[in-house]
Amino acid sequence: MVVRSRVKERIEARFPESTSARQVRELGAFARYCAHRVERDLGQYDAWIIDIAPALGGYVTHVAVCDRGAMVEEQGSGHDGALAVWDAMCRVEQRLREPHR
């Protein structure tokens, strides 16, 4: 089962059920901030789905950006949740900036 951040908007941060309320609040806010930062430069997208989960040796984050029927996805990892979010966001931003996507 997945616990979702309480903010119902087009940027959805999702977490495993075992995630603490503090982690949901803090990592969710950081993930949404990163998505807004990308959109500030590149324009608004239809939807963002950001999955953040513990993994062996740290965390893993999967980001999917949906826009006009197309989807760009990337994954990142890090020693903590914020680093995993940052890694995935940097990768997806690079893909979104590619002219041939």
Side-chain angles (χ1 to χ4, degrees):
M1 181 172 213
V2 173
V3 175
R4 297 173 191 227
S5 65
R6 293 182 183 186
V7 178
K8 299 273 187 190
E9 56 182 283
R10 51 185 188 77
I11 302 172
E12 180 181 15
R14 303 187 307 193
F15 302 86
E17 190 174 287
S18 61
T19 306
S20 73
R22 180 179 177 179
Q23 285 179 310
V24 169
R25 185 177 59 253
E26 291 176 357
L27 285 175
F30 181 64
R32 286 185 297 279
Y33 165 80
C34 290
H36 285 296
R37 184 194 59 78
V38 170
E39 288 187 337
R40 195 171 43 238
D41 288 345
L42 302 178
Q44 185 173 321
Y45 294 95
D46 292 339
W48 293 73
I49 301 168
I50 306 161
D51 290 302
I52 306 164
L56 187 61
Y59 283 78
V60 66
T61 297
H62 178 264
V63 177
V65 183
C66 308
D67 194 49
R68 294 174 285 207
M71 184 179 296
V72 175
E73 299 177 86
E74 283 295 335
Q75 187 166 305
S77 60
H79 293 294
D80 63 34
L83 290 174
V85 169
W86 185 256
D87 185 36
M89 285 293 185
C90 288
R91 291 170 189 267
V92 82
E93 180 180 10
Q94 181 66 34
R95 294 267 317 277
L96 291 170
R97 289 182 180 279
E98 293 174 359
H100 58 277
R101 70 168 187 97

